[in-house]
Amino acid sequence: MNPKWNGQFSCFDLVARVGEKTADKKNEHARTIVQVRDIEIGGNDFVVMAGPCAVESESQLLQTAEAVAEAGARILRGGAYKPRSSPYAFQGLGVEGLKILRKAREATGLAIVTEVMSEEDVDLIAEYADIMQVGTRSMENSALLEALGQCGRPVLLKRGMTATLEDLLRSAQVIAVAGNSQVILCERGIRTFETATRNTLDIAAVPVLKAVSHLPVIVDPSHAAGVRSLVPVLSRAAAVVGADGLIVEVHPCPEQALSDGNQSLTFAEFRHMMTDLQPYLELQQESRQMRPQLLAAGGAD
Ligand code: PEP
Ligand code: MN
């Protein structure tokens, strides 16, 4: 491993191993596999989570769930509680949205990932969600992170838009120390001086995080790009650098979406994206098999 990273991140070597009852000594370099129903995140599969930014209605969510499941997604995303930059913007359907998510799971078998914004909502959301999403604006909310330590569900931890990788790992460690080692890290773009994209996708974050931690790492190309035309190409980049999966926004009619319509894919666009990803995933599988140690270390220095 690059000595710089080792020095910089050595305090996180055990991130999320804390509290892992089965962590066997000989296996301390093994990667964490997050088990969500019958899905393994961080193992050999590339797991795609897809769905609307926000749950808007039963028909919107059910239609989307069926379309993304048919195209190969395993997990349905959709916010019932929405963190918005403006107090006048749509704030989500709350419990009503959670109930709709549950219906979609029953109808399609997809697992559910949805955002939790406050420690007060953790128990309620854990009754409906298979994965608890922590948004970019909440990454450093320590009361929330600590409450997630006891929620009994895996956590999808998004990188704060101005957070370093070290900050992200520190937040993962807070959840782990509070009792929950099932954490998935998510690169979703950061604030830089560039304004052509909504955020700047830090693609190098993927191999660095995989080199310095054993947690699964996924990419959110939608919030990174801010425009739908860039989502497929950023997804391909994520596959090639070794991400364990994606979280992508998809909407039946993006022009009418109550949030993030510009970056949401239509059903057809999502289907094409999934098909076009295949050769890139095969390429990545081949190189993993050819040089596993090099890739595990994040490539040559
Ligand atoms: C979302 O997933 O819709 C969302 C609000 O993401 P982020 O926290 O990355 O902005
Ligand atoms: Mn969104």
Side-chain angles (χ1 to χ4, degrees), residues 53-54 77 82 198 223 249 259-260 263:
C53 178
R77 63 147 290 145
K82 293 304 301 172
R198 182 176 180 184
H223 291 86
E249 288 185 338
S259 61
D260 288 348
Q263 66 197 35

Side-chain angles (χ1 to χ4, degrees), residues 58-74:
E58 190 170 319
S59 76
Q60 171 242 21
L61 193 74
L62 288 178
Q63 275 184 61
T64 311
E66 273 160 23
V68 300
E70 211 175 294
R74 308 287 311 278

Side-chain angles (χ1 to χ4, degrees), residues 161-175:
M161 60 183 94
T162 57
T164 63
L165 297 181
E166 204 168 328
D167 297 332
L168 174 64
L169 288 169
R170 191 168 292 116
S171 292
Q173 204 168 35
V174 172
I175 302 169

Side-chain angles (χ1 to χ4, degrees), residues 125-275:
I125 294 178
E127 280 178 37
Y128 293 86
D130 298 295
I131 306 177
M132 311 285 278
Q133 176 176 330
V134 175
T136 195
R137 296 162 188 79
S138 305
M139 190 207 80
E140 291 184 86
N141 177 347
S142 42
L144 174 62
L145 301 178
E146 279 165 23
L148 288 166
Q150 297 299 317
C151 71
R153 295 270 180 266
V155 176
L156 173 60
L157 180 63
K158 287 189 148 196
R159 180 180 184 180
M161 60 183 94
T162 57
T164 63
L165 297 181
E166 204 168 328
D167 297 332
L168 174 64
L169 288 169
R170 191 168 292 116
S171 292
Q173 204 168 35
V174 172
I175 302 169
V177 169
N180 187 354
S181 60
Q182 297 282 286
V183 178
I184 305 156
L185 303 172
C186 179
E187 163 60 36
R188 48 78 72 203
I190 50 174
R191 281 264 161 91
T192 67
F193 51 81
E194 182 55 72
T195 54
T197 48
R198 182 176 180 184
N199 291 285
T200 298
L201 180 63
D202 179 8
I203 199 73
V206 177
V208 173
L209 287 169
K210 294 209 59 153
V212 302
S213 87
H214 44 74
L215 297 173
V217 181
I218 69 162
V219 167
D220 175 344
S222 310
H223 291 86
V227 289
R228 79 179 63 94
S229 60
L230 291 180
V231 170
V233 72
L234 296 186
S235 298
R236 294 198 284 272
V240 169
V241 295
D244 295 296
L246 299 171
I247 180 164
V248 182
E249 288 185 338
V250 179
H251 194 282
C253 185
E255 313 78 72
Q256 284 169 21
L258 297 181
S259 61
D260 288 348
N262 288 344
Q263 66 197 35
S264 299
L265 300 179
T266 62
F267 296 167
E269 286 165 341
F270 180 69
R271 244 186 353 259
H272 293 144
M273 183 190 97
M274 293 292 277
T275 308

